[in-house]
Amino acid sequence: MIGLISATAAGAAARDRLAAAWPDRTRVYEGPVGDAVRTAFAQCEQLVCFLATGAVVRLVAPLLAGKTADPGVVCVDEGGRFAVSLVGGHAGGANELAREVGELLGAEPVVTTATDAVELPGLDTLGLPVEGDVAGVSRALLDGEAVALRAEVAWPLPPLPVAAEGSYTIRLTDRLVETAEREVVLRPPSLVVGVGASKGAPVEEVLGLIEGVLREAGLSAASVAELATVDAKAGEPGLVEAARRLGVPLVTYSARELAAVDVPNPSDAPLAAVGTPSVAEAAALVRGGELLVPKRKSAARPAMTTCAVVRRRGRGRLAVVGLGPGARDLLTPRAKAELRRASVLVGLDQYVDQIRDLLRPGTRILESGLGAEEERARTAVEEARKGQAVALIGSGDAGVYAMASPALAEASDDIDVAGVPGVTAALAAGAILGAPLGHDHASISLSDLHTPWEVIERRVRAAAEADLVVTFYNPRSRGRHWQLPKALGILAEHRAPTTPVGVVRNASRPDESARLTTLAALDPATVDMMTVVTVGNTATREIAGRMVTPRGYRWQEEPE
């Protein structure tokens, strides 16, 4: 919950805007400001104070307990110009809250946390348990000193400016190790503990077995992602409580799923009890991984608990990102977030140049030239399979004549995939021309490099006969000069010579140009690969210099 506190009418007005926008996230604290701040500080995870920063500093100073315990505090000035992250920038989420508040109120977020200020992810914000010299290693990253990454477990991380060797170290491991001097240890959630239990198995026996097995195997309990068992044991109190104390979910599978898993130590006892020859090993292995600790029984007599431990490889992530038509303000916020999240960027060199300044320090860039689409797709998938967080970029929308289809043709279910939509060239051109796509429409690429011309021609003819507005991508190049005249000729068989045609080159870019002509008057020689050609249907009209296709609910009549 976010506590909201104000002292003046202007502050109350901004406070109420925030409360109205986030009714389920916020609570307004009335009364004397000091009492309101102290009460909200004790009750809320975060505070937004519409007060001077000096006043808030004096009020919260006696309440501060430590960076991991304090709520995040954001201050908004009387004029609503700034949203200042004051306390708990990382652990309390105040930095992100300042950005959210700023976006909602039109205020400038002020974040002074050193790593955020230079676009470095804080080591304590990666979502992983962290131990060791966080301040020292973070300072080394900020100062540009060599910091080595020792990844003992494959796990997707955001970009970090690391080196092969260095006097400081970031160690990514699920092993039970002590942190060395000038070292940070990150604990990925890579371990799955499969557990079998007899009815009434006490939680102390369950926890004792798990903790003992992990300790003997040299594995860290901080890297346990989940406990796994058969669904017949979903409500077993000892297992439920053990998961709660470990702070992980209890995940269950059907006996049929577990019986299909090949395990080294099957047994008749669980087969008779719950219908599968293995619970602990099978539940740990059902989603794949490396069996680190085979089935072990507790030391109790009789033993009521078994467990096994599996290491799962971190799933890589492939984000296929559409950059839009080229203008920075048509690049979506989600696309920007994915670019900042990626540790590896794969793309056409000219598209990389468009967004290079948005990448975080340490992002590895794999760029190539025109004609290497399939190679880029394979590279992006291969990097994701290594456990990397990868962004594969394309212009417009990545799913429209771009990189999504070749990439997903290569990808299997061993990686996570996210599609990030972008503004297409057809949409950008349509907005410039007016409203040519107001009714049913089709986009057709005239490039026969990957599609036989016979197929393209059949599609153009079908669109012509169906009276669809048609947007032509890749209309003409030096080596392909006859396709556009041929396509226009097919459309002319079904449409009047006066049919409006929009020609837009480099839509949304600094050298953008656009013009309206007609089907009869269009000179194909004036069109190139940077151009989008939109041909209207029989209802499309030029109105006040704009290209408009009626929506169809009420057809416009011809002017008399």
Side-chain angles (χ1 to χ4, degrees), residues 92-123:
N95 291 350
E96 183 58 32
L97 180 59
R99 296 185 182 99
E100 289 186 80
V101 171
E103 183 175 357
L104 184 64
L105 299 181
E108 181 72 23
V110 179
V111 176
T112 58
T113 308
T115 50
D116 291 71
V118 296
E119 300 293 320
L120 278 176
L123 296 175

Side-chain angles (χ1 to χ4, degrees), residues 9-59:
R15 176 203 68 192
D16 292 343
R17 285 177 58 195
L18 211 60
W22 297 338
D24 298 328
R25 296 178 60 190
T26 58
R27 179 188 302 162
V28 173
Y29 285 79
E30 304 278 9
V33 168
D35 294 341
V37 169
R38 284 187 286 271
T39 303
F41 197 93
Q43 295 179 347
C44 298
E45 292 81 21
Q46 296 175 319
L47 280 71
V48 178
C49 300
F50 298 86
L51 306 165
T53 53
V56 178
V57 166
R58 286 189 290 274
L59 288 169

Side-chain angles (χ1 to χ4, degrees), residues 227-305:
L227 300 189
T229 190
V230 66
D231 57 10
K233 299 295 180 179
E236 186 64 42
L239 298 185
V240 173
E241 178 61 16
R244 189 193 69 79
R245 293 190 191 180
L246 289 170
V248 299
L250 178 64
V251 179
T252 64
Y253 301 95
S254 70
R256 183 176 180 180
E257 289 177 286
L258 298 187
V261 179
D262 186 26
V263 297
N265 300 293
S267 173
D268 292 335
L271 180 61
V274 293
T276 173
S278 171
V279 173
E281 289 179 340
L285 285 167
V286 66
R287 288 172 53 197
E290 175 190 3
L291 184 62
L292 300 181
V293 182
K295 180 177 70 175
R296 292 276 301 275
K297 292 183 179 181
S298 67
R301 294 291 182 270
M304 301 181 72
T305 308

Side-chain angles (χ1 to χ4, degrees), residues 32 101 116 119 143 166-167 209-210 220-221 231 271 326 346 383 416 426-427 490 505 512:
V101 171
D116 291 71
E119 300 293 320
D143 291 343
S167 55
L209 175 62
I210 293 171
S220 172
D231 57 10
L271 180 61
V346 182
E383 291 293 328
D416 295 326
L427 294 178
I490 294 171
R505 188 177 190 279
E512 167 191 299

